[in-house]
Amino acid sequence: MATAFSSDGEATLRRELGPATAAPRGDLDGFYEMGRAAAFVRGGGFRKVALQFPDELLADAATVAARMEAATGAEMYVLGDTTYGSCCVDEVAAEHAGAEAVLHYGPACLSPCIKLPVLHIFGQQPLDIGRCTEAFRELYPDRQTRVVVLSDLEQQLCPEYPNIVFSRVVCGDPPGPAPPGEVQQFGRQFPVEALGGLQDCAMFYVGAEGLALTSFMLTWNRCPFSSFDPATGCGRRETLNVNRALMRRLYLVERARDAQVVGILVGTLGVAGYLAVLQHLRELLRRAGKRSYTLAVGKPNPAKLANFLEVDIFVLVACAQNTLLDSSEFYRPIVTPYELELACNPAREWTGNYFTDFRDLLPGACAHVELPPAVPAAEAVPDISLITGEMRAAYLCDHAAPQLPPSTALACRDQTRALAEISPAASFLESRSWRGLEQQLGQTPVSKAVQGRRGIAIAYEDEGHEQP
C-alpha cells in the first residue's frame, strides 16, 4: 500500500528508460563555432581529426561530425569516453584513432598538450551582458577597485573602472617567460601592473560553480571572490571558507608525512611535463625514505584504489582542475604533488601560497625548491606526528635506490626455461589470499550465450517461474 510519504516501488520497476535527449540548441553552427573549426582543419591540412565532447554535449556529436566532414572533407572521429577528465585533451585516445589534430569541445582546463595540435571550442553559451554588468556594479560600487574579470566584458566596464583587469585565454605553453607587468597562469594572461600582482586584486568569475572556481580560490586565496552564473542570472560574493579548505589540505599533508608507502596515481597522459613530475616525485620519495608505486588506473574511484591496501596515501598527478580530488569517500587519502612536497621536502615551507599546477614545482618554474643535502640520522632534529603522537623521520637520506643486480633481475619461472622478472610489488600481490578476478584461460568450458533475467534483484520479471 502506497501513501503520500512512501511507495511500494512498483512505478519505478515498471518504468521504461529511453535515450537521453540533448537540450535544444537553435544554432548548432554558432554554438560549436563551425566556421572557426573548419578553418582550423583546412589551414592545417589535417585529414583525420578527433572530436572530443563532454558527456553533456555528446548527443550533438554525430550532427557536428557530419557537418564538419561536409565542410572540410576530412574524416572526423568522435571520442565518446575520455581516459581521464573531460576538461583535458585526450591525446591517447586520439592517437589510437590515428588523428592528426583534436577539436576539444566544452569546458577545458587549458593545460598545454605534448604532441597534437588542439583547438578549444568552449561553446557559445547564452550570456545576458546587461544583467552581468549590472551585477558587477552592485558587487563593486567603488569605481577605483582593482578587479580581475575572468570573462570578456571589456567594452561594457572599462570606461567606468580604470583599474579593471581582463584575462585573455592563451592555449598552449607560452614561448618564453611572461614579460614584465603580465602574469600567465591557468591558460590565461593577465596584464597586472599592481605591485602585489594578482593577490592585491579582487576576482570576478563568470560561470557556474565547479572545480575551476575552487582551484582559482585556493590558488589566489588572499583575493575576495565574486561570481556571476549565466544560467541563473545572479551575481554573488563567494562564501567558500577558503581557510577551512586549506586546513583540510594541511591535515592531508600531515597524513603524507606519516605515510611509508605512497601510490603515485597517473591522472593524465597528455599534459606537458607529466613525465618530469613523475620522476621528480619518485626521487623526492626515495630521498624521504618512503616506498612508491606508480599506478595508472584511469579515472580513480574508491573501488579501484581499495585494491591497494598496502598504500598509505596516494598522490594524484593531474591537471590543475582535477588534482583537487575530494577523498573523503576513499579508503586512503589523496593529496596533490604540492602537498606531497610540503610533507617530504624540508626546504619547502608553507607561505600561504597554494599551487595546483604541478608544472610550477619543476626545475626552472616559479615555485621550484631544491632538495636540501642529506642529513645524518644522528644529527637530524626529531619530529613528532600531530596525528599519532609518535616520532618520525623528517630528514632526507642519500642512500642509493635499491636495485637488483643485472644478473639476478631475471629468474627461471618453470622447467620450460621461461623467464620472469622479479618484482617486490608482484611478490606482495602473490601473498594475498584474494587477488581479484581470475581469467582461468583454457579451464572454463565454452557455452552459448543465453538470455538472462530481466529487472532488478528484488523483483525479477520471471520471479517464481521455473527456469528451463
Side-chain angles (χ1 to χ4, degrees):
M1 177 180 178
T3 65
F5 300 97
S6 66
S7 172
D8 56 4
E10 182 179 358
T12 303
L13 295 174
R14 301 301 178 186
R15 185 176 57 198
E16 295 184 1
L17 298 179
T21 58
R25 307 186 201 281
D27 184 14
L28 283 180
D29 291 347
F31 182 84
Y32 290 104
E33 301 182 59
M34 298 285 194
R36 187 165 71 98
F40 169 78
V41 175
R42 288 193 298 263
F46 305 123
R47 294 169 296 178
K48 190 171 186 179
V49 181
L51 308 182
Q52 180 178 341
F53 291 85
D55 292 342
E56 60 270 18
L57 300 179
L58 197 57
D60 296 333
T63 304
V64 173
R67 295 189 184 183
M68 286 295 298
E69 287 184 346
T72 62
E75 182 182 359
M76 299 294 160
Y77 191 94
V78 177
L79 303 181
D81 186 20
T82 55
T83 307
Y84 299 102
S86 61
C87 64
C88 299
V89 178
D90 196 350
E91 285 189 318
V92 176
E95 287 187 320
H96 287 170
E100 301 173 354
V102 179
L103 296 179
H104 183 280
Y105 294 93
C109 59
L110 301 176
S111 299
C113 300
I114 304 173
K115 302 175 182 178
L116 299 178
V118 179
L119 177 65
H120 289 280
I121 299 176
F122 306 105
Q124 296 292 339
Q125 300 285 352
L127 175 63
D128 189 344
I129 299 294
R131 181 66 191 97
C132 184
T133 305
E134 181 183 350
F136 184 90
R137 294 191 183 101
E138 294 174 358
L139 292 169
Y140 302 101
D142 185 4
R143 299 296 192 266
Q144 301 300 320
T145 305
R146 288 194 174 96
V147 186
V148 174
V149 179
L150 299 173
S151 183
D152 186 12
L153 302 174
E154 186 169 358
Q155 296 180 356
Q156 285 73 23
L157 297 175
C158 195
E160 300 181 35
Y161 292 81
N163 297 322
I164 199 168
V165 175
F166 294 90
S167 64
R168 184 171 62 90
V169 174
V170 179
C171 298
D173 252 342
E182 287 190 0
V183 177
Q184 295 175 352
Q185 200 170 7
F186 297 120
R188 292 169 173 84
Q189 193 174 34
F190 306 89
V192 179
E193 299 179 358
L195 295 178
L198 293 176
Q199 296 288 1
D200 287 347
C201 302
M203 295 287 181
F204 182 71
Y205 175 77
V206 179
E209 183 179 359
L211 293 176
L213 180 58
T214 303
S215 179
F216 293 157
M217 294 186 68
L218 286 180
T219 302
W220 300 311
N221 51 67
R222 297 191 183 99
C223 301
F225 266 79
S226 300
S227 68
F228 177 80
D229 190 349
T232 61
C234 298
R236 67 175 187 178
R237 298 190 184 276
E238 289 299 326
T239 57
L240 171 67
N241 192 337
V242 177
N243 291 331
R244 185 171 182 177
L246 290 176
M247 288 173 60
R248 165 66 181 170
R249 307 309 303 187
L250 293 177
Y251 165 76
L252 296 180
V253 172
E254 280 297 312
R255 292 288 300 270
R257 290 193 177 106
D258 292 341
Q260 295 299 320
V261 181
V262 180
I264 304 176
L265 296 176
V266 182
T268 178
L269 295 177
V271 178
Y274 83 95
L275 288 176
V277 80
L278 288 177
Q279 184 61 32
H280 174 73
L281 294 177
R282 294 192 191 103
E283 176 64 16
L284 175 65
L285 293 171
R286 183 188 70 82
R287 293 283 305 276
K290 303 178 187 294
R291 286 188 298 164
S292 65
Y293 297 95
T294 305
L295 309 171
V297 296
K299 297 177 183 178
N301 58 49
K304 289 181 182 178
L305 301 189
N307 290 310
F308 306 100
L309 299 178
E310 65 275 14
V311 175
D312 298 324
I313 200 168
F314 295 94
V315 54
L316 178 60
V317 178
C319 69
Q321 292 187 17
N322 288 326
T323 190
L324 291 170
L325 187 63
D326 184 11
S327 58
S328 57
E329 297 181 357
F330 288 76
Y331 185 69
R332 291 284 189 260
I334 302 175
V335 298
T336 66
Y338 172 68
E339 292 164 355
L340 187 67
E341 273 232 346
L342 279 176
C344 299
N345 187 354
R348 183 180 290 279
E349 299 179 353
W350 171 249
T351 60
N353 297 324
Y354 193 90
F355 302 94
T356 56
D357 191 346
F358 62 75
R359 295 177 301 147
D360 293 338
L361 310 178
L362 297 176
C366 60
H368 176 69
V369 176
E370 291 286 346
L371 294 176
V375 177
E379 301 178 7
V381 178
D383 185 47
I384 305 297
S385 170
L386 299 179
I387 297 177
T388 63
E390 301 176 355
M391 293 188 62
R392 63 189 178 193
Y395 58 91
L396 296 180
C397 53
D398 199 19
H399 61 269
Q403 295 181 352
L404 294 172
S407 59
T408 60
L410 298 177
C412 292
R413 184 171 59 184
D414 50 30
Q415 297 299 327
T416 62
R417 298 300 180 183
L419 296 180
E421 184 178 359
I422 299 176
S423 170
S427 301
F428 183 89
L429 184 63
E430 287 293 332
S431 64
R432 287 184 176 181
S433 59
W434 165 252
R435 294 191 290 271
L437 298 177
E438 300 178 359
Q439 294 183 348
Q440 296 182 351
L441 298 177
Q443 303 178 18
T444 304
V446 179
S447 61
K448 292 184 178 181
V450 296
Q451 183 176 357
R453 289 182 168 182
R454 299 180 58 184
I456 59 177
I458 61 171
Y460 289 118
E461 292 184 0
D462 58 351
E463 197 75 36
H465 300 282
E466 295 184 359
Q467 295 290 332

